[in-house]
Amino acid sequence: MKAGDVISVYSDIKGKCKKGAREFDGTKIFLGNGISTLSRKEIFSGLPRLRGIGIRMTEPIYLSPSFDNVLPSYLFLQNLPSAVVTHVLNPQPGEKILDLCAAPGGKTTHIAALMHDQGEVIALDKIANKVEKIKQNALLLGLNSIKAFCFDGTKALKLDEIEDTEGTPPFSPESFDRILLDAPCSGMGQRPNMACTWTLKEVTSYQPLQRKLFPVAVQLLKPGGTLVYSTCTVTLEENEEQVAWALSTFPCLQLQPQEPQIGGEGMMGAGLSGEQLRQLQRFDPSTTPLRDTDLETLRDARAEDMIRLANKDCIGFFIAKFLKWKSTSEKDPQK
């Protein structure tokens, strides 16, 4: 293979292909055709430090164009559910909003934009370089209402009122109008991801962390405020089971219908009622009937049917919306 050769690109699903192999009969998936920018010798002699474009794809199986650096001061590329979740939160100008796990800042900047940059958007993340990325995105998009802090979300609740942290974390109880808890998760809804080597233990490790973040979010939310919980995974234990746990643990929370409602209803198995499942949004790419569809039959489909189909052909995602109908300091009269 020389620079300029037309070549086919495959993904080695099980990671069994040996470096420099000239043939491979293992499990693989075709990704498309492209033109090599380097020779085979240049590629393999430069590993592992070699960086950049090795193959310029000319015929990818996914025909979506690249939006890199397209109007960067105006556009921020997001998956559909990631944009939907911010509309479900429905931030209003002048409000104080908390994005508890904010990096890389797509939802943070979307919140500020929906508020017309009027109000205060607090973004937290415990990894410093990710916080810098949030600040860079806010600056690039010209959003001044965003304040980003490098801070652990599980410690964002101020426990000592004597301590003066006005405007910076930790924060006083019931000080935010709306909170987005886009929780760290197993990310099983992201696709395509053909090189994942996670163990079952790693996949199941996120539920405890989410349950540490949830009480902080509930206590920081004002009575009458909105809490939106979301993940980019499809597991029952990180989604519907968390909703059932939250409703039983925090009597001050009530599940709410969502607008817009584009995804499907929640999954059975966590003890939620049919009405409660209908108030959730679950985006599940495995339910999209595209794999066995004859594309020729879609040419005569109505535009609204095509839009509906396209809206479901996205990453796996989950959204739940809660209303905090009373203060966390109030006692439940039924107890």
Side-chain angles (χ1 to χ4, degrees), residues 67 69-78 106 109-110 113 136-143:
F67 284 90
N69 296 317
V70 176
L71 299 175
S73 298
Y74 297 92
L75 301 180
F76 193 104
L77 190 63
Q78 283 188 304
T109 53
H110 193 193
Q136 291 171 11
N137 286 329
L139 182 65
L140 185 63
L141 294 168
L143 297 167

Side-chain angles (χ1 to χ4, degrees), residues 123-149:
L124 302 184
D125 200 275
K126 66 179 183 179
I127 301 177
N129 63 335
K130 290 186 177 182
V131 174
E132 287 305 310
K133 187 64 176 178
I134 296 171
K135 293 178 179 179
Q136 291 171 11
N137 286 329
L139 182 65
L140 185 63
L141 294 168
L143 297 167
N144 300 309
S145 59
I146 296 173
K147 297 179 181 178
F149 300 96

Side-chain angles (χ1 to χ4, degrees), residues 297-309:
T297 64
L298 298 177
R299 296 189 185 279
D300 297 326
R302 297 182 304 167
E304 52 266 36
D305 292 333
M306 291 294 292
I307 292 172
R308 190 178 300 110
L309 188 63

